[in-house]
Amino acid sequence: MEQWKRLNQMLARTHPAFANQHYRDMELQSRVASASPHGLVSLLYEELLHALDLLTATAKRGTAISGNPHHTKALSIIIALETSIDFANGGDLAGVLQRIYRSAVYKLNAAAQTNDVAHIAELREAVSEIAYAWAALAN
């Protein structure tokens, strides 16, 4: 385990792509540590959009969507968003969000089965609208 950690640290210092990801991870950890509950959901939306963008880019280069780490990350974030729904205080919106998240999982899995980035583009557009609305609630 310690050798793996040292190798990652070395790669982060020597290769620009690894360094960029390392600093992005550090920034995200800092933002998570200082975020409010509302801010954490905003971060999940940001990370979901980022994962969908990376998934689209890798799929366009010929990498299969199924089994892609960005596919897995996007699914994990959608599930985290669904499990964070406050049904006790969310009213009708809670049920709507649950249906949206379940539909998002279905759309993402359909993209993986057909290797079709159009499904990802549709999902990204919907998530983007929800993320925008969520951000507007903070203001």
Side-chain angles (χ1 to χ4, degrees):
M1 182 68 154
E2 187 62 33
Q3 290 175 326
W4 179 249
K5 186 176 179 180
R6 279 185 281 164
L7 177 61
N8 279 338
Q9 290 170 345
M10 183 183 74
L11 288 173
R13 290 189 304 265
T14 59
H15 192 281
F18 288 111
N20 184 35
Q21 185 61 44
H22 175 74
Y23 290 120
R24 187 176 186 288
D25 291 345
M26 286 176 48
E27 179 208 7
L28 182 60
Q29 289 173 3
S30 174
R31 290 177 68 197
V32 166
S34 63
S36 67
H38 185 90
L40 288 174
V41 173
S42 292
L43 284 171
L44 285 172
Y45 284 129
E46 285 178 33
E47 287 300 305
L48 177 55
L49 291 169
H50 184 69
L52 293 172
D53 289 342
L54 292 173
L55 182 58
T56 299
T58 58
K60 285 182 177 179
R61 287 195 310 261
T63 303
I65 294 172
S66 181
N68 187 306
H70 305 301
H71 174 258
T72 304
K73 183 175 183 178
L75 278 174
S76 297
I77 293 170
I78 294 167
I79 292 166
L81 285 165
E82 183 178 356
T83 58
S84 72
I85 295 172
D86 182 357
F87 288 98
N89 298 313
D92 292 339
L93 181 58
V96 170
L97 284 173
Q98 183 180 41
R99 288 190 296 279
I100 290 170
Y101 296 146
R102 288 188 179 173
S103 175
V105 168
Y106 176 81
K107 184 70 76 174
L108 199 51
N109 285 332
Q113 289 175 346
T114 61
N115 216 44
D116 186 359
V117 294
H119 290 301
I120 300 168
E122 292 172 17
L123 177 56
R124 193 200 188 286
E125 184 177 331
V127 169
S128 181
E129 289 177 18
I130 297 168
Y132 179 78
W134 184 260
L137 288 175
N139 296 330

